[in-house]
Amino acid sequence: TDKDELNIITSTYAKRMGTSHSVALVKTNPNYAILARHMDIDTVISTSEVTVDTLMRYIRGENIASIHSLFDGAIEVSEYKLVEGNALLGRQLKDISLSGKAIVTGITDKNGKSFLANGSYTLAEGDSVLVATEHGHVDFAQRLFS
């Protein structure tokens, strides 16, 4: 509905009645999204957060397929698409110095297979790489993976 309070209460009620997964839409008051995350609701969708994530993806560049802020912006998870000419192509993850500033959290290869990669995985053109960084190290990850 267009009423944040009703969406939150309904999702909480559904969860308490035995629904295995509840979702609440928060459209007007972003503070309600913070509150809802502490109320046994599995997924909270905030239109303002989605808007910010979309704008950040646009600002950060063309090789970023998606971007999400977590923990009130403290952590950023970006999905980088590795294209021809990227300096990381052909390198194993264990040979890439992330300097404690980033963590590769997952990969989807060009065939669409998603997995948690280990250090022996060799990056290839067409891979999508999920990278988590603290907000202060976003530029480092962007330079490395774009």
Side-chain angles (χ1 to χ4, degrees):
T1 71
D2 287 335
K3 305 235 184 293
D4 295 343
E5 300 91 345
L6 180 59
N7 293 344
I8 292 168
I9 290 169
T10 303
S11 295
T12 303
Y13 179 71
K15 187 70 177 211
R16 291 180 194 243
M17 294 304 295
T19 302
S20 62
H21 191 90
S22 63
V23 179
L25 174 63
V26 176
K27 294 177 76 173
T28 57
N29 189 338
N31 292 322
Y32 285 159
I34 296 165
L35 174 70
R37 288 189 178 96
H38 297 286
M39 297 181 64
D40 198 29
I41 298 171
D42 298 301
T43 303
V44 178
I45 300 170
S46 167
T47 55
S48 60
E49 290 174 5
V50 170
T51 302
V52 168
D53 288 348
T54 302
L55 288 171
M56 291 305 295
R57 187 180 123 228
Y58 176 76
I59 290 169
R60 293 280 158 80
E62 61 188 47
N63 290 340
I64 297 181
S66 64
I67 186 170
H68 300 285
S69 295
L70 304 171
F71 307 118
D72 295 325
I75 303 290
E76 191 169 287
V77 179
S78 301
E79 179 185 2
Y80 293 93
K81 184 80 168 175
L82 298 184
V83 297
E84 182 180 352
N86 186 298
L88 299 177
L89 297 178
R91 294 181 61 190
Q92 290 185 323
L93 286 176
K94 65 182 178 183
D95 296 330
I96 299 169
S97 175
L98 299 177
S99 303
K101 297 178 181 178
I103 297 171
V104 173
T105 59
I107 293 178
T108 300
D109 66 19
K110 63 182 175 184
N111 299 318
K113 180 182 175 194
S114 297
F115 52 92
L116 299 175
N118 60 31
S120 64
Y121 181 78
T122 302
L123 295 171
E125 184 177 346
D127 285 350
S128 289
V129 182
L130 283 179
V131 179
T133 58
E134 289 181 331
H135 182 71
H137 298 300
V138 170
D139 290 342
F140 169 81
Q142 189 173 352
R143 283 190 306 275
L144 190 61
F145 289 94
S146 289

